[in-house]
Amino acid sequence: MRIFHIHSGGVQELAELPAQMPAQGFVWIACARPVFQAQLTEIQASLQALVGLQLVDLHVSDLLNAQLPSHYDYTSQYDLLVFRRLATAQGDGAAQPPAPVPAPAPVAPAESPARRSGPPVLRRIDTSPVGFAVFDQLLLTVHPSDCAVRDAYATRLLASAPAASTNGEGRSNPAAGARVPTSPADLMLRVVNQMVDGYLDLRRELTRQLDHWQTELLKPRARYVNWNSLLEARLSLHMLDEICEDQRTAVQDWIDALETWTLPDTPAGLRELDLLKVRSRDVLEHIERVVHHVRRLEQSTETAVQMHFSVQSNRTNDIMRTLTALTAVFLPLNLIAGIFGMNFEFLPLIHKADGFWWALGSMVFIALSLVLLFWRKRYLARTR
């Protein structure tokens, strides 16, 4: 568990849960899902002391559920957002078994996503949920074990904190101070935006992999196609589409909830609310960009498969057309050979010394004429 006190003067990481809410800023409590389950009683007691209320049991179950899709819910005192992030290559989405500590919430299922076959880029589409409980002056986040997103943003937050206080002349630096979140909702949106950036980075690898498959599928002499990997790609893209749709719905519900917030009385409060709406719309736009790209990749995959079978069909047609033309060339030759092979005593040219050469010359002339005719009509040409 990591605890941070974030205020306009900087960011401090605390060693333990505070006994009371600080006078300035807000508190960020970031813990792994097994730790959250093991220390649920202590965390609920700290929430009661800091903000005067505890999490609802159903929301606790949502935070402990490792298979829950992205969704948004709220109460009169806090908002709850569950957002699915990409698991890292090291498999940080796999949590260790939780400690057998009695708790009012059900035991969370193991976070071990099934291994997929195919390229490594497909295995990166494994996802795991991150829960956000947003209070007025506190943000509680529940991550998978060893969450890289949490640690990366916490490192960035701590690195930007010293620059946020003063500039080189000892005066306040507002541009640097803008790096520090101003509220729990602002911090939540920044973390969510970092998760969405992971999906945006994944697009390049998926595009490169699918371009390689399209090139292989469109080769006319390709005899082996890795259909298992291609099927895994289509299933992964379909799953990614569903994940992004859930994410878009959750963020859209959050934006709709922002519209119902009471307008602050101060210009600073109004500006902060407007910045929250702008940042929320920016996150939604990033998610819609991922959805659009994933659907385009799905269509490209379907088109590549159809073009592959079209190429194979054209190749088969070329072969059949060539065989048909060759059969048409030898058909009159077989007719002539069949006529002169009949067992009649009197046949034209049968008793002449040069009869064989006349028949052979006629057969060669007919064969060459037919080959030239079929070549000019492109019956013997290969379709490029």
Side-chain angles (χ1 to χ4, degrees):
M1 179 187 301
R2 303 185 68 179
I3 306 165
F4 302 90
H5 176 212
I6 303 173
H7 51 89
S8 59
V11 180
Q12 298 175 349
E13 185 169 4
L14 306 179
E16 57 183 8
L17 291 170
Q20 60 182 3
M21 184 63 65
Q24 295 181 352
F26 63 95
V27 176
W28 177 22
I29 302 176
C31 59
R33 189 166 287 109
V35 176
F36 178 74
Q37 181 176 359
Q39 302 182 10
L40 180 59
T41 304
E42 179 183 354
I43 294 175
Q44 290 280 48
S46 298
L47 292 178
Q48 183 67 39
L50 293 175
V51 297
L53 73 155
Q54 298 181 354
L55 294 174
V56 180
D57 291 343
L58 293 178
H59 290 166
V60 172
S61 301
D62 291 343
L63 294 176
L64 289 175
N65 189 353
Q67 307 300 328
L68 195 68
S70 302
H71 80 286
Y72 169 76
D73 198 5
Y74 64 94
T75 66
S76 60
Q77 301 294 330
Y78 66 90
D79 299 274
L80 181 75
L81 178 69
V82 176
F83 198 88
R84 296 193 70 91
R85 66 164 182 84
L86 287 173
T88 60
Q90 289 81 8
D92 67 339
Q96 298 176 357
V101 177
V107 178
E111 298 180 47
S112 54
R115 285 288 180 181
R116 293 186 175 88
S117 61
V121 64
L122 300 180
R123 294 194 289 268
R124 287 195 56 196
I125 303 182
D126 292 331
T127 60
S128 54
V130 177
F132 301 86
V134 185
F135 298 86
D136 291 337
Q137 292 182 282
L138 185 142
L139 176 65
L140 172 65
T141 58
V142 179
H143 306 263
S145 299
D146 302 327
C147 182
V149 175
R150 176 199 62 185
D151 296 335
Y153 189 79
T155 302
R156 182 190 307 177
L157 198 62
L158 292 173
S160 64
S165 56
T166 59
N167 57 14
E169 300 177 357
R171 292 177 298 180
S172 176
N173 189 350
R179 303 175 185 174
V180 179
T182 58
S183 65
D186 187 16
L187 176 58
M188 178 200 71
L189 290 175
R190 296 190 186 202
V191 176
V192 169
N193 189 53
Q194 185 173 353
M195 296 180 189
V196 178
D197 289 343
Y199 289 89
L200 292 176
D201 295 337
L202 182 65
R203 298 184 312 167
R204 303 184 185 93
E205 300 182 34
L206 280 174
T207 302
R208 191 181 304 112
Q209 181 63 50
L210 291 178
D211 288 344
H212 169 72
W213 277 332
Q214 288 177 2
T215 303
E216 293 297 323
L217 286 173
L218 295 182
K219 287 183 179 179
R221 295 185 178 275
R223 297 184 177 182
Y224 175 73
V225 178
N226 194 348
W227 293 108
N228 291 330
S229 297
L230 186 60
L231 178 60
E232 289 286 348
R234 294 176 61 184
L235 293 177
S236 299
L237 287 175
H238 183 68
M239 183 190 70
L240 185 57
D241 188 11
E242 293 181 349
I243 291 172
C244 293
E245 280 292 342
D246 293 337
Q247 292 175 349
R248 180 166 62 177
T249 302
V251 175
Q252 185 62 55
D253 292 342
W254 161 260
I255 294 176
D256 295 339
L258 280 180
E259 299 296 334
T260 63
W261 284 17
T262 304
L263 295 178
D265 298 332
T266 61
L270 288 174
R271 175 175 174 76
E272 181 180 344
L273 181 58
D274 290 338
L275 290 177
L276 281 180
K277 294 179 180 179
V278 171
R279 193 176 293 275
S280 300
R281 289 193 294 266
D282 181 69
V283 172
L284 182 62
E285 189 271 335
H286 285 184
I287 296 175
E288 290 177 347
R289 193 185 309 171
V290 175
V291 171
H292 174 73
H293 187 78
V294 167
R295 290 179 178 175
R296 187 174 62 184
L297 288 180
E298 286 185 307
Q299 294 176 357
S300 300
T301 305
E302 293 288 343
T303 303
V305 173
Q306 294 176 5
M307 293 182 64
H308 168 74
F309 286 111
S310 297
V311 169
Q312 297 300 322
S313 178
N314 289 335
R315 185 185 178 193
T316 303
N317 292 337
D318 288 342
I319 295 174
M320 294 304 298
R321 183 176 57 189
T322 302
L323 292 177
T324 303
L326 293 177
T327 302
V329 169
F330 284 95
L331 190 61
L333 308 185
N334 291 332
L335 177 62
I336 295 176
I339 291 175
F340 282 93
M342 292 186 295
N343 295 323
F344 290 102
E345 184 177 355
F346 300 101
L347 283 175
L349 304 177
I350 196 68
H351 294 294
K352 291 186 177 182
D354 56 352
F356 169 77
W357 300 110
W358 278 103
L360 183 61
S362 301
M363 295 170 67
V364 171
F365 175 76
I366 293 174
L368 292 178
S369 300
L370 289 176
V371 168
L372 180 61
L373 177 63
F374 292 157
W375 183 265
R376 295 195 62 179
K377 289 184 174 293
R378 303 181 64 86
Y379 292 166
L380 295 176
R382 177 176 296 175
T383 302
R384 294 184 179 180

